[in-house]
């Protein structure tokens, strides 16, 4: 090697200007690198066509009392259950403060609404202008996400301690309004945004 | 040339690591304190630029593969979906597609640098050959990648190139059907091309490792072509060449960004936005610009097998180049006649590129009045291309009288008036 | 019988593409130059042109030419003709919802396995005029009207070519060119003969913004719309390009200064 490195010690003011130049250059490369990296991360987020995945419409008029169907909405399964009057009554009796999760988890209501049966049922659904929907039908309907809030399995219908859903994976028990009652799941099954667009048609999303 | 390692681990951890896996020492010796000739000019920055190109292609390619669908029915639509719906998809695809062109632009300048300054000559023959292997792999990757969007040019490009193998005697048809996985270019072909397109960049990265290894044994060549003799001839790689390469890389990225953001389709063909149609060939099919010279050589021969042999021979000749050049002097700087032949060689390569883009029967502008069409222009230039390697370089070394060279690299940079009496000795030492 | 018919159709198709090479290359006209608002490094699409262009596409072109890669929501996305800042999600955009609702879209299968029809939604694709290519061919005398999703990028000098073609029907065919029924002479089309009848006439449609619907204006507007359809992110691309260029130039300056500094005491 040559003697070229020896000159580095000369001049205090000169060397501080030099250091500033080097730090600014390395800093600019670093900042640019971070910005350049973002597209590589963001491309894995849901794409515009996925985000635009639309709505699902369900005909709830044909559902008999006690019947349940599973529909797909935004790639996920959802339970649609028309509960019997006894089931609704039993669910309404439960004190909210005794529940593991007291939050309604309902996209149609403000966050933090209490997990009453009323707040969980389709009574919370928006109703389009000019549409009239039977109130008992609305009160009896429960529409919720069908993936257990623990680790995403689909609970089995009609099983468990509360006669509604029991998750076979890790033993979470849900009641007839989809609320977690026992087991490792942390939250109630989520209620999607929903709108009655006719007396018997419910639109999710 | 690389002397004893100057790496000194400073912390407890680096000392611990150095005893078990001296990777920090390797990095230090290769890219920090690596003795590098002090007179390298900007033509020497393309190595670093090419490393950046390879990285950009691999990174953008991996993320594009997350969205691309290798199926003849969905391929076009998935590419359009990348452009339209995937977050920053248009940016990633523009970068990948233009990145291929930028990669070739850089590799051609890198190769011409090597040709001009005699970087292929002893003791760097293997370094050169590994470089030609990388270039071949690049062409394969570029060709395979161009098929993936499944446009008209993709399809007919694949058709023409795979049919080249049909020229092989006896095994021609079985080999092409094996390549296709069918009776023509089809879904099976597209699938395997995608698989191989994903594989090849990693092969390239592997050979690049060998290329750098082979570079670091004899060290860099330099514009004088003189062998490094003393420490005064060199500078440590860092910071001298990291900052110089860094500057060159950013200037290169400005050109790159210009294409990506302001002229993204300039280097492609409009026809490739038309979905592949096995029933209709576009009126004028041409390969991407970086393959045009070879296309011209292929068409220069009226015989199918002959054309294929000549085209592959155009790359094959590069493998034996180190033994074709008989000159004692590496750098064209000191080869008064060689420089002219080299200049004509560059012109011939550009000319072949032009010929490759034109229809063979069309008349050449200006020269057309003499009756010269592109077919014959291609033949003349092909002759010169091979003549340069097979006639000029072997014979010129025997007859040419090299110009006087400086005594050392150090002397050469300190001024032209310092030619020492040692010059003839230095020449012998080469 | 059917096979013969298909062969004939195929032959017409091949002929249509063979004609340009046979018909002495270079005898058709080069596209006319034209000034677009979206040219150059800072050019953007004019919203009025885009909206009028969409109207021309919807009322004139879309009868024969589909746009397979576009969704109705694209109309209301950033950079699109009907983008409104207060509706960042195009699904909520009332104009786009109204446009979508005008279309009848086939959906399904429902719970009985039947397909059913419903009003369109922003997330639907642009309705396609044909069920498949063969149908499109059969409906147009063997010439398949090309898809318009990327038409501007899929033709050389795309914008100028399409504009010239739309306005290029007023020429007398050369004597040696026989114009058969179902074909029209247009010197901007390779070969000079195409199966598309002249489409644009003055006041063919009424522009809601009161702009005079001359042939030139309609051609200009629809090409602008098609250019947007081919590359809906062009404005975002140029915007980001400007920032990237500024950054790279600044970084090049810094690196050059650092390079000069590092090498300042070395002769080389």
């Amino acid at each position: 090697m040559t003697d070229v490195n020896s000159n580095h010690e000369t001049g205090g003011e000169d060397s501080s200007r030099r250091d500033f130049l080097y730090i600014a250059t390395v800093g600019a490369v670093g900042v640019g690198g971070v910005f350049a990296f973002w597209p590589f991360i963001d491309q894995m987020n849901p794409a515009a066509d996925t985000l635009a995945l639309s709505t699902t419409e369900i005909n709830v008029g044909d559902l008999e009392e006690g019947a349940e169907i599973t529909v797909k909405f935004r790639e996920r399964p959802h339970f649609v259950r028309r509960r019997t009057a006894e089931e609704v009554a039993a669910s309404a009796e439960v004190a909210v403060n005794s529940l593991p999760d007291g939050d309604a988890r309902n996209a149609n209501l403000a966050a933090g609404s209490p997990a009453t049966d009323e707040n969980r049922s389709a009574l919370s659904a928006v109703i389009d202008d000019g549409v009239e929907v039977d109130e008992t039908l609305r009160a009896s309907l429960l529409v919720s996400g069908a993936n257990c809030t623990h680790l995403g399995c689909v609970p089995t219908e009609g099983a468990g301690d509360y006669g509604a859903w029991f998750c076979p994976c890790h033993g979470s028990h849900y009641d007839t309004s989809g609320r977690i009652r026992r087991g490792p799941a942390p939250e109630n099954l989520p209620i999607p945004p929903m709108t009655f667009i006719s007396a018997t048609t419910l639109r999710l999303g | 040339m690389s002397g004893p390692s100057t790496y000194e681990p400073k912390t407890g951890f680096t000392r611990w690591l150095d005893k078990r896996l001296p990777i920090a020492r390797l990095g230090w010796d290769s890219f920090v304190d690596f003795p590098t000739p002090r007179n390298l000019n900007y033509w020497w920055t393309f190595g670093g630029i090419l490393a950046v190109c390879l990285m950009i292609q691999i990174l953008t390619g991996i993320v594009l593969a997350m969205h691309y669908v290798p199926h003849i029915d969905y391929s076009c639509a998935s590419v359009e979906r990348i452009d339209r719906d995937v977050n920053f998809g248009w940016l990633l695809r523009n970068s990948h597609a233009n990145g291929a062109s930028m990669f070739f632009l850089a590799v051609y300048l890198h190769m011409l640098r090597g040709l001009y300054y005699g970087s292929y000559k002893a003791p760097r023959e293997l370094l050169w050959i590994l470089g030609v292997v990388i270039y071949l792999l690049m062409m394969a990757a570029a060709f395979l990648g161009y098929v993936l969007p499944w446009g008209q040019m993709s399809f007919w490009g694949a058709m023409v190139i795979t049919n080249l193998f049909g020229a092989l005697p006896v095994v021609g048809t079985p080999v092409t059907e094996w390549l296709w996985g069918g009776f023509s270019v089809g879904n099976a072909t597209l699938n395997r091309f995608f698989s191989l397109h994903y594989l090849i960049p990693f092969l390239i990265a592997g050979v690049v490792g060998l290329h750098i290894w082979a570079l670091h044994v004899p060290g860099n060549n330099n514009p004088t072509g003189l062998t490094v003799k003393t420490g005064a001839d060199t500078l440590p790689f860092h910071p001298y060449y990291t900052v110089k390469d860094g500057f060159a890389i950013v200037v290169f990225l400005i050109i790159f960004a210009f294409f990506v953001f302001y002229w993204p389709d300039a280097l492609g063909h409009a026809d490739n936005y038309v979905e592949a149609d096995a029933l209709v060939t576009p009126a004028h099919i041409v390969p991407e610009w970086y393959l045009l010279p070879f296309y011209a050589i292929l068409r220069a021969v009226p015989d199918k097998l002959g054309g294929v042999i000549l085209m592959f021979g155009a790359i094959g000749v590069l493998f034996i180049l180190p033994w074709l050049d008989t000159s004692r002097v590496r750098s064209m700087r000191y080869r008064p006649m060689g420089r002219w032949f080299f200049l004509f060689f560059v012109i011939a390569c550009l000319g072949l590129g032009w010929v490759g883009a034109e229809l063979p029967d069309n008349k050449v502008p200006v020269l057309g009045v003499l009756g010269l069409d592109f077919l014959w222009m291609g033949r003349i230039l092909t002759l010169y291309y091979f003549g340069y390697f097979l006639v000029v370089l072997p014979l010129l070394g025997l007859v040419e009288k090299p110009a006087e060279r400086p005594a050392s690299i150090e002397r050469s940079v300190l001024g032209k008036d310092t030619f020492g009496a040692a010059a003839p000795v230095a020449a012998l030492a080469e | 019988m059917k096979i013969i018919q298909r062969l004939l159709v195929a032959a017409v198709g091949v002929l249509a593409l063979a004609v340009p090479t046979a018909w002495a290359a270079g005898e058709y006209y080069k596209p006319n130059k034209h000034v677009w608002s979206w040219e150059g490094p800072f050019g953007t699409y004019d919203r009025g042109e885009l909206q009028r262009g969409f109207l021309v596409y919807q009322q004139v072109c879309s009868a024969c030419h589909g746009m397979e890669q576009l969704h109705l929501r694209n109309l209301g996305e950033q950079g699109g003709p009907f983008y409104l800042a207060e509706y960042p999600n195009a699904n909520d955009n009332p104009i786009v919802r109204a446009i979508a609702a005008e279309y009848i879209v086939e959906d399904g299968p429902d719970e009985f396995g039947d397909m059913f029809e419903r009003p369109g939604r922003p997330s639907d694709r642009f309705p396609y005029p044909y069920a498949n290519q063969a149908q499109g061919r059969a409906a147009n005398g063997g010439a398949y009207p090309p898809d318009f999703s990327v038409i501007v990028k899929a033709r050389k000098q795309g914008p100028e070519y399409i504009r010239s073609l739309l306005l290029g029907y007023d020429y007398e065919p050369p004597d040696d060119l026989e114009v058969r029924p179902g074909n029209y002479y247009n010197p901007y089309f390779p070969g000079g003969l195409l199966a598309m009848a002249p489409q644009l006439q003055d006041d063919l449609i009424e522009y809601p913004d009161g702009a005079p619907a001359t042939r030139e204006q309609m051609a200009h507007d629809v090409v602008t719309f098609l250019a947007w359809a081919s590359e809906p992110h062009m404005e975002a691309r140029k915007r980001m390009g400007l920032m990237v260029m500024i950054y790279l130039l600044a970084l090049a300056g810094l690196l050059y200064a650092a390079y000069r500094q590092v090498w300042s005491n070395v002769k080389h």
Side-chain angles (χ1 to χ4, degrees), chain C residues 86-108:
Chain C
E86 60 263 46
Y87 298 103
N89 180 351
N91 285 353
D92 304 330
N93 184 312
I95 310 172
V96 177
R97 291 183 77 104
I99 292 170
E102 287 171 27
Y103 291 104
I104 299 297
V105 177
E106 191 181 55
D107 201 351

Side-chain angles (χ1 to χ4, degrees), chain B residues 112 114-118 120 317-318 321 324-325 332 335 337-346 348-349 381-396:
Chain B
L112 287 176
L115 283 172
Y116 184 81
Y117 293 112
Y120 50 84
V317 72
L318 297 175
L321 168 65
L324 291 174
D325 186 354
M332 289 284 179
R335 298 183 61 181
M337 286 165 76
R339 299 166 77 155
W340 285 101
F341 283 106
F342 177 82
L343 180 67
F344 287 125
F345 174 76
V346 176
C349 289
L381 295 175
T382 302
L383 198 68
Y384 185 80
Y385 179 94
F386 284 98
Y388 179 75
F389 290 117
L390 298 175
V391 182
V392 173
L393 287 181
L395 297 183
L396 191 64

